[in-house]
């Protein structure tokens, strides 16, 4: 966990100036920022609004995946929509059910957008804004409710499945009342996870505006370091780089390894695992784009290097101790 926290620190410190966290904390919105290049696609920043809404502390959130806030009522379809947006590296707005720390459900308009490196077009972060939503108004049934009066003056004790009848035996009435009492346990007024109404245009605009404000801050504070980010992929040099979805999948592999692209000049490293970074002591930005040979030194066996080069030339596996 300590090594992951170090990677999370690098995730912000390399790309943005040191004041970016304070600036983001001044925003009133509920949002998180995640880094797909770190194993597990963890949250690397959580706003004060998000912490207040969720009931979690900063220490409990940083390093966690967004799935930690989902629960039994979370729609599988919404999860798939978000996964597809990550895979396609695009913006998405969807209604999502998450859960607070105390277990209470909360419906939200979930708006997620990628943040790209202006230098090479890689996805650096995902920004996810959450706008809380109220539930749908209770749907009225076809018949009158408890204690309501029918057209001919009879009350709920004279109602059986929506029909007004005066010749109902007392046993049937008692059974009906037991059914109504049982049904009330599942009434929409008592269920916080009842599906909310559709998001209004105002809520959609509010979410989009929040994302734009966050992206503006990230862009500004990346300019101070010279490691510019942008809302849209604005370079073609990223051709050959790995997509965010593949990087997230590779992050599940715990071994130390790198991937290189033989179709690019000098076969640069396009992916380095967290375990490799921990083993070598390098930061991710110091590794990506380099040749594997950059790790070689005066004591590196020349014959081993020759075998590696020959393996690359012949496209054969090579294992050296």
């Amino acid at each position: 966990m300590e090594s992951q926290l170090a990677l999370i620190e690098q995730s912000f410190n390399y790309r943005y100036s040191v004041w970016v966290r304070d600036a983001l904390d001044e925003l009133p919105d509920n949002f998180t920022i995640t880094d797909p290049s770190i194993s597990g696609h963890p949250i690397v920043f959580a706003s004060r609004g998000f912490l207040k809404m969720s009931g979690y502390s900063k220490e409990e959130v940083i390093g966690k995946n967004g799935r930690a806030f989902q629960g039994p009522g979370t729609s599988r379809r919404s999860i798939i929509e978000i996964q597809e947006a990550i895979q396609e590296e695009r913006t998405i707005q969807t209604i999502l059910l998450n859960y607070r720390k105390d277990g209470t459900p909360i419906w939200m308009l979930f708006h997620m957008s990628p943040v790209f490196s202006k230098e090479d077009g890689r996805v650096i972060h995902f920004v996810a804004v959450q706008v809380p939503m109220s539930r749908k108004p209770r749907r009225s049934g076809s018949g009158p409710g408890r204690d309501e009066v029918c057209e001919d003056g009879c009350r709920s004790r004279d109602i059986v499945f929506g029909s007004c009848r005066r010749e109902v035996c007392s046993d049937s009435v008692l059974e009906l009342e037991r059914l109504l009492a049982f049904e009330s346990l599942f009434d929409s007024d008592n269920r916080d996870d009842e599906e909310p109404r559709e998001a209004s245009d105002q809520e959609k605009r509010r979410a989009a505006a929040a994302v734009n404000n966050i992206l503006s801050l990230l862009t500004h504070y990346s300019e101070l370091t010279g490691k510019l980010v942008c809302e849209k992929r604005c370079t073609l040099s990223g051709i050959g780089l790995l997509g965010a979805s593949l990087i997230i999948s590779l992050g599940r592999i715990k071994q130390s390894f790198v991937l290189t692209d033989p179709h690019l000049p000098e076969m640069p490293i396009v992916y380095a695992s967290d375990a490799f970074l921990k083993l070598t002591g390098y930061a991710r930005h110091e590794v990506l784009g380099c040749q594997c040979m950059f790790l070689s030194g005066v004591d590196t066996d020349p014959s081993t290097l020759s075998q590696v080069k020959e393996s690359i030339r012949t496209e054969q596996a090579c294992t050296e101790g």
Side-chain angles (χ1 to χ4, degrees):
M1 183 62 181
E2 183 178 347
S3 61
Q4 187 190 44
L5 291 177
L7 292 174
I8 289 172
E9 286 293 315
Q10 292 175 10
S11 175
F12 258 55
N13 294 347
Y14 169 71
R15 186 66 53 176
Y16 312 107
S17 73
V18 294
W19 300 287
V20 66
R21 288 184 176 84
D22 291 336
L24 290 172
D25 264 334
E26 293 299 318
L27 296 177
D29 310 291
N30 311 320
F31 66 94
T32 57
I33 300 176
T34 60
D35 189 336
S37 69
I38 301 177
S39 177
H41 193 181
I43 294 171
V44 296
F45 181 87
S47 71
R48 291 177 179 175
F50 176 84
L51 298 176
K52 182 178 180 180
M53 177 186 70
S54 66
Y56 288 93
S57 66
K58 176 182 175 182
E59 292 72 23
E60 293 173 314
V61 170
I62 299 301
K64 295 290 192 301
N65 184 277
R67 293 189 302 271
F69 309 104
Q70 297 169 3
T74 306
S75 168
R76 178 63 181 167
R77 184 177 66 178
S78 298
I79 296 173
I80 292 175
E81 288 177 351
I82 295 171
Q83 291 174 340
E84 289 177 346
I86 292 173
Q87 181 178 358
E88 298 168 10
E89 300 178 346
R90 60 174 172 82
T91 296
I92 182 178
Q93 266 195 0
T94 187
I95 295 177
L96 183 68
L97 177 65
N98 273 357
Y99 291 80
R100 299 182 179 90
K101 182 178 179 180
D102 62 9
T104 58
I106 176 171
W107 283 100
M108 61 183 64
L109 175 62
F110 181 87
H111 185 126
M112 184 186 72
S113 291
V115 182
F116 297 96
S117 164
K118 193 169 185 179
E119 178 184 5
D120 58 23
R122 288 186 298 116
V123 172
I124 302 300
H125 295 119
F126 282 97
V127 173
V129 169
Q130 299 94 20
V131 177
M133 297 176 61
S134 60
R135 292 174 288 126
K136 282 182 179 178
R138 181 183 177 186
R139 292 187 295 270
S140 59
S142 58
R146 184 183 298 274
D147 295 330
E148 294 183 358
V149 180
C150 296
E151 292 181 0
D152 65 352
C154 65
R155 289 191 173 272
S156 61
R157 288 182 62 87
D158 299 321
I159 301 170
V160 178
F161 302 112
S163 299
C164 296
R165 299 185 58 182
R166 297 188 178 283
E167 54 280 344
V168 180
C169 68
S170 59
D171 289 344
S172 296
V173 172
L174 292 174
E175 180 64 22
L176 173 61
E177 290 188 336
R178 282 195 292 268
L179 287 172
L180 290 173
F182 180 75
E183 186 183 62
S184 68
L185 295 175
F186 301 94
D187 191 281
S188 60
D189 285 344
N190 298 319
R191 290 187 60 180
D192 288 332
D193 59 350
E194 185 74 12
E195 184 180 359
R197 55 178 171 73
E198 291 186 4
S200 66
D201 290 340
Q202 181 180 5
E203 287 167 332
K204 292 178 181 179
R205 288 194 298 268
R206 175 184 168 190
V211 169
N212 288 337
N213 290 337
I214 297 164
L215 290 174
S216 294
L217 279 179
L218 294 180
T219 300
H220 171 70
Y221 285 97
S222 70
E223 290 173 347
L224 299 179
T225 63
K227 309 296 182 182
L228 273 66
V229 301
C230 49
E231 181 180 356
K232 296 182 179 180
R233 184 175 277 119
C234 43
T235 178
L236 296 178
S237 64
I239 296 176
L241 296 175
L242 305 184
S245 180
L246 179 56
I247 290 175
I248 293 171
S249 297
L250 291 171
R252 300 188 183 103
I253 304 173
K254 302 306 179 183
Q255 281 75 24
S256 172
F257 69 97
V258 296
L259 295 181
T260 63
D261 191 338
H263 302 292
L264 293 178
E266 300 184 344
M267 283 185 60
I269 295 173
V270 295
Y271 178 82
S273 69
D274 291 357
F276 175 86
L277 301 177
K278 182 179 180 181
L279 176 68
T280 62
Y282 285 94
R284 182 167 277 106
H285 67 270
E286 295 174 315
V287 173
L288 296 182
C290 296
Q291 289 182 296
C292 287
M293 300 302 177
F294 87 98
L295 289 173
S296 303
V298 293
D299 296 327
T300 303
D301 184 3
S303 63
T304 299
L305 294 178
S306 297
Q307 290 182 36
V308 173
K309 292 178 180 178
E310 180 64 16
S311 176
I312 293 172
R313 188 186 69 82
T314 60
E315 299 181 355
Q316 300 290 324
C318 176
T319 302
E320 289 294 330

